Amino acid sequence: KAGVTQTPRYLIKTRGQQVTLSCSPISGHRSVSWYQQTPGQGLQFLFEYFSETQRNKGNFPGRFSGRQFSNSRSEMNVSTLELGDSALYLCASTVGPTNEKLFFGSGTQLSVL
Amino acid sequence: GESVGLHLPTLSVQEGDNSIINCAYSNSASDYFIWYKQESGKGPQFIIDIRSNMDKRQGQRVTVLLNKTVKHLSLQIAATQPGDSAVYFCAESLQTSGTYKYIFGTGTRLKVLA
């Protein structure tokens, strides 16, 4: 069974630009969560989707948004990029509605110049 | 805000020895915990989980211990191997409105010495 797939693997953007990251969950998994990982802050929760509905949201500005499609694939978007947005963005999926046992993808490494 | 774990320390162990990685969690109401392993350039890999109604759970070469009295979680790795070198971090979670919300620690770096 394929794991969580995230694309692209690496991204370099400049301040002010926007970016869209993609996540394909494990087949059969319906919940997708997004996290930002930085050396100083560890993993910070962005948002979680289940059956195309955002169920939870972390403490990030409105520049960070996401969505989930009917096939459970998810995208997150960051608009008006700032230098501090440079991070590893991780997607995790779980099979059921309770969001147990998060399985992570390899992440998208975003560098903002 | 709440936080789990400590600043990123490093634990160095000899190949073949047992490793013990510790984690302090913050919310006494947390009822589900997970240990992850993260190798350089990769995403976190699920190792083992434990619910708050258990004190101990064993997997293949790994054991997780939960001490709710002092809000402490530990991961024991038996016969540590070079492939165990990675950053390990714990996550605590509390089921709210039918779904778990996680707080992750910053982790411990495990170095296995040959």
Side-chain angles (χ1 to χ4, degrees), chain A residues 67-87:
Chain A
R67 59 178 176 169
Q68 186 181 33
F69 303 96
S70 59
N71 61 357
S72 294
R73 191 177 71 84
S74 178
E75 290 181 345
M76 69 163 280
N77 184 277
V78 188
S79 62
T80 319
L81 284 166
E82 301 178 0
L83 295 179
D85 296 333
S86 294

Side-chain angles (χ1 to χ4, degrees), chain B residues 13-74:
Chain B
V13 298
Q14 288 292 137
E15 182 179 354
D17 287 352
N18 295 334
S19 302
I20 299 177
I21 301 170
N22 297 304
C23 173
Y25 64 93
S26 61
N27 188 348
S28 57
S30 291
D31 57 7
Y32 179 60
F33 305 86
I34 305 177
W35 276 101
Y36 285 94
K37 170 187 180 183
Q38 187 171 23
E39 298 175 272
S40 181
K42 297 184 178 180
Q45 176 188 348
F46 178 97
I47 301 174
I48 192 168
D49 58 352
I50 188 169
R51 298 189 185 283
S52 59
N53 61 354
M54 302 173 70
D55 297 323
K56 177 180 180 180
R57 191 166 187 224
Q58 290 184 291
Q60 188 176 10
R61 278 203 309 121
V62 295
T63 300
V64 54
L65 298 176
L66 175 62
N67 186 330
K68 295 179 286 294
T69 302
V70 295
K71 295 188 291 185
H72 184 267
L73 199 64
S74 69

Side-chain angles (χ1 to χ4, degrees), chain A residues 9 35 37 39-43 45 48 55-57 88 90 97-107, chain B residues 32 34 36 38 41-46 49 51 57 89 95-106:
Chain A
R9 186 71 179 90
Y35 290 84
Q37 187 178 36
Q41 297 293 319
L43 274 95
F45 173 69
E48 185 236 340
R55 293 200 296 187
N56 287 301
K57 190 177 190 303
L88 179 66
L90 292 160
T98 58
N99 205 29
E100 291 180 12
K101 293 188 178 180
L102 293 178
F103 290 94
F104 285 88
S106 294
Chain B
Y32 179 60
I34 305 177
Y36 285 94
Q38 187 171 23
K42 297 184 178 180
Q45 176 188 348
F46 178 97
D49 58 352
R51 298 189 185 283
R57 191 166 187 224
F89 55 89
Q95 189 172 108
T96 306
S97 302
T99 183
Y100 283 103
K101 298 184 70 173
Y102 294 87
I103 299 173
F104 291 85
T106 52

